[in-house]
Amino acid sequence: DSGVTQTPKHLITATGQRVTLRCSPRSGDLSVYWYQQSLDQGLQFLIQYYNGEERAKGNILERFSAQQFPDLHSELNLSSLELGDSALYFCASSVIMNTEAFFGQGTRLTVV
Amino acid sequence: SQKIEQNSEALNIQEGKTATLTCNYTNYSPAYLQWYRQDPGRGPVFLLLIRENEKEKRKERLKVTFDTTLKQSLFHITASQPADSATYLCALSDSWGKLQFGAGTQVVVTP
């Protein structure tokens, strides 16, 4: 158990809908990362937060947004969902930047 | 654009031998390089971290080297075991902490 909790574990939704994925980092970790992993692709970096502030952005679609709350948990919002958004979404956390990252078990999103 | 390249072909190796994986990068000046292990359907698990001013790091049967001139890291698993079968990911982070991953190399260790 990495100590990073992601909910829900599985999510099935229809095209055009909006979903929210939640991540609780390890206790004391200030940095949170979000990644997307499709079947035919590796881990794609989406966004990073550090102590509540956005720190780095990857190729995150405009339909996607995220935030980190004062209690350090984070949410990833995906809207106007398309079939191609079906993937595993991972959250990871680290104490500070540039230290080992701990990954959650992921949320498997299926868009039908 | 920044690229992190790992061998896309699976590495098949006999138990007891040493597996060597390669990670090459371009258009990047990483402050840190990390290696992770990922099993199917699960989140990556951290293995080793090496800093830009370090040449080599070891942990039990694992060894990583980092050559910033060649822009390459080598990851070795010595005395490999079937339980080492997994996908191994190379990850680079800059000074801001943005952690980007390569596509990974699958390792299959046969008894």
Side-chain angles (χ1 to χ4, degrees):
Chain A
D1 182 10
S2 67
V4 178
T5 303
Q6 289 187 248
T7 56
K9 289 185 181 179
H10 302 276
L11 196 51
I12 301 175
T13 189
T15 55
Q17 295 298 304
R18 172 190 168 96
V19 298
T20 297
L21 312 184
R22 182 187 169 98
C23 171
S24 293
R26 289 191 326 154
S27 177
D29 283 1
L30 299 177
S31 196
V32 169
Y33 310 80
W34 284 99
Y35 293 87
Q36 178 192 56
Q37 188 171 40
S38 304
L39 271 177
D40 57 349
Q41 293 192 2
L43 281 164
Q44 301 296 315
F45 172 76
L46 295 177
I47 199 164
Q48 178 202 2
Y49 284 86
Y50 180 75
N51 202 21
E53 292 187 5
E54 182 183 305
R55 183 60 78 170
K57 236 176 181 178
N59 295 325
I60 186 168
L61 300 172
E62 286 191 11
R63 300 183 286 109
F64 295 2
S65 65
Q67 54 183 328
Q68 186 179 30
F69 295 87
D71 66 353
L72 301 179
H73 91 272
S74 179
E75 292 181 356
L76 178 67
N77 301 296
L78 315 176
S79 62
S80 302
L81 285 167
E82 302 174 358
L83 295 178
D85 297 327
S86 296
L88 260 173
Y89 291 84
F90 287 106
C91 167
S93 72
S94 60
V95 174
I96 56 175
M97 295 181 292
N98 288 320
T99 57
E100 60 187 284
F102 294 85
F103 281 77
Q105 77 277 30
T107 293
R108 184 174 293 280
L109 174 66
T110 302
V111 182
V112 296
Chain B
S1 62
Q2 297 172 336
K3 281 187 180 178
I4 304 170
E5 295 179 339
Q6 296 185 251
N7 292 345
S8 58
E9 289 186 15
L11 178 64
N12 292 285
I13 192 164
Q14 197 172 11
E15 182 176 8
K17 302 293 186 183
T18 296
T20 298
L21 309 178
T22 304
C23 174
N24 295 298
Y25 59 92
T26 55
N27 297 324
Y28 214 127
S29 296
Y32 299 82
L33 188 145
Q34 304 183 35
W35 283 88
Y36 289 75
R37 167 189 172 134
Q38 186 174 26
D39 292 288
R42 309 198 60 142
V45 175
F46 172 79
L47 296 175
L48 281 168
L49 178 151
I50 187 166
R51 293 172 173 77
E52 60 178 336
N53 60 351
E54 296 176 318
K55 296 291 185 185
E56 183 179 301
K57 254 317 183 33
R58 291 174 185 261
K59 179 183 174 183
E60 297 173 353
R61 296 184 293 108
L62 308 178
K63 184 179 87 171
V64 61
T65 62
F66 192 12
D67 189 325
T68 55
T69 301
L70 291 178
K71 296 186 184 296
Q72 182 181 79
S73 173
L74 297 179
F75 179 77
H76 307 270
I77 307 172
T78 59
S80 58
Q81 305 167 0
D84 295 327
S85 298
T87 296
Y88 291 84
L89 305 168
C90 166
L92 275 67
S93 57
D94 56 23
S95 56
W96 289 101
K98 180 179 177 181
L99 187 62
Q100 294 199 104
F101 285 81
T105 298
Q106 184 183 10
V107 173
V108 179
V109 182
T110 53

